[in-house]
Each structure stands twice: as structure tokens, then as C-alpha cells.
Amino acid sequence: MTLTIELSELKSPFYFERTADYVSRLSLNFKEKGDYYITNCPFHTDKTPSLFLYQSNGTVRFKCFSDKCQSGSWDIFAFIQKIEGCGFIDSVKKFASYLEVDEVILPKGNILKIHD
Ligand SMILES: [Zn+2]
């Protein structure tokens, strides 16, 4: 069976815990605080945790509240691109592969196959 999912669904709260689990594998020590997670921001010196992972308007978001982060707000794909230094398609492949999704329908309707 082939599991095909639209890109926007991968950012939905349905995958909130798995998003937290995925980024925790990137040696980000997220701590659960009820309905959100926090950790020290990896993009600058951060003595008190400034990076939040939370749900907003039906989307899972990352946001850094430190003054040191210029545009510190990302969805899972933008976050993977920034922390892993890869492009958009690779960020989709990494996260979808972790979720064991076979195909992702991109915003323009193209189908991205994950396992080839
Ligand atoms: Zn930051």
C-alpha cells in the first residue's frame, strides 16, 4: 500500500508529537511543557531556552523569541533546511521518510516520491 499525503498535512497538529521526536533526533533537547516544547535555540548562544515548538492555526510552528534571531519563525520544512543546510525538497524527503510516507503531493500538485 502506498501512503500519499499532501504537504500541508505534514505540518498539521496530527504530527505534532512526531515533529518533536524528529527534531529531537537532531540533538535538540526539546522539553515538553504541556502543549508546547522548548529548547535552547541552536542558531546562536542561548542561555535560557528561547526556541518554542507549538501549534498555531492548525499548523506546527517553530519560533525563537530571542532578539538574536532575525526571522526566527519556521515550519518543519524551513526548520530542517536551516538546521541541516539542505534544500526544500530534501527537507520534505527527510521528514516524510521518517513518517514512512511514500509520496507527498506538493502545493502545485506535483507528486514527490520519497523512496527513490
Ligand atoms: Zn534563536
Side-chain angles (χ1 to χ4, degrees), residues 4-23:
T4 304
I5 292 187
E6 286 196 26
L7 184 79
S8 59
E9 286 182 58
L10 296 178
K11 300 192 275 189
S12 75
F14 181 76
Y15 290 112
F16 185 53
E17 279 77 21
R18 302 202 65 195
T19 300
D21 185 60
Y22 179 84
V23 293

Side-chain angles (χ1 to χ4, degrees), residues 11-106:
K11 300 192 275 189
S12 75
F14 181 76
Y15 290 112
F16 185 53
E17 279 77 21
R18 302 202 65 195
T19 300
D21 185 60
Y22 179 84
V23 293
S24 294
R25 293 163 169 227
L26 308 175
S27 36
L28 286 170
N29 192 20
F30 274 95
K31 288 192 174 65
E32 190 172 1
K33 296 276 183 182
D35 59 354
Y36 63 95
Y37 296 80
I38 58 170
T39 193
N40 292 53
C41 183
F43 305 126
H44 51 81
T45 309
D46 195 19
K47 288 176 182 160
T48 56
S50 299
L51 181 63
F52 285 65
L53 171 60
Y54 61 102
Q55 305 171 47
S56 174
N57 295 325
T59 304
V60 175
R61 300 289 302 176
F62 297 82
K63 184 170 175 63
C64 177
F65 287 91
S66 167
D67 295 339
K68 295 173 184 166
C69 260
Q70 298 300 327
S71 56
S73 176
W74 309 273
D75 65 18
I76 179 61
F77 304 113
F79 190 77
I80 291 172
Q81 286 171 70
K82 182 154 170 92
I83 200 160
E84 302 223 58
C86 65
F88 170 71
I89 292 296
D90 280 342
S91 73
V92 176
K93 284 186 171 177
K94 285 170 190 280
F95 189 52
S97 172
Y98 162 73
L99 296 173
E100 297 179 331
V101 168
D102 300 302
E103 298 176 338
V104 175
I105 304 171
L106 299 175

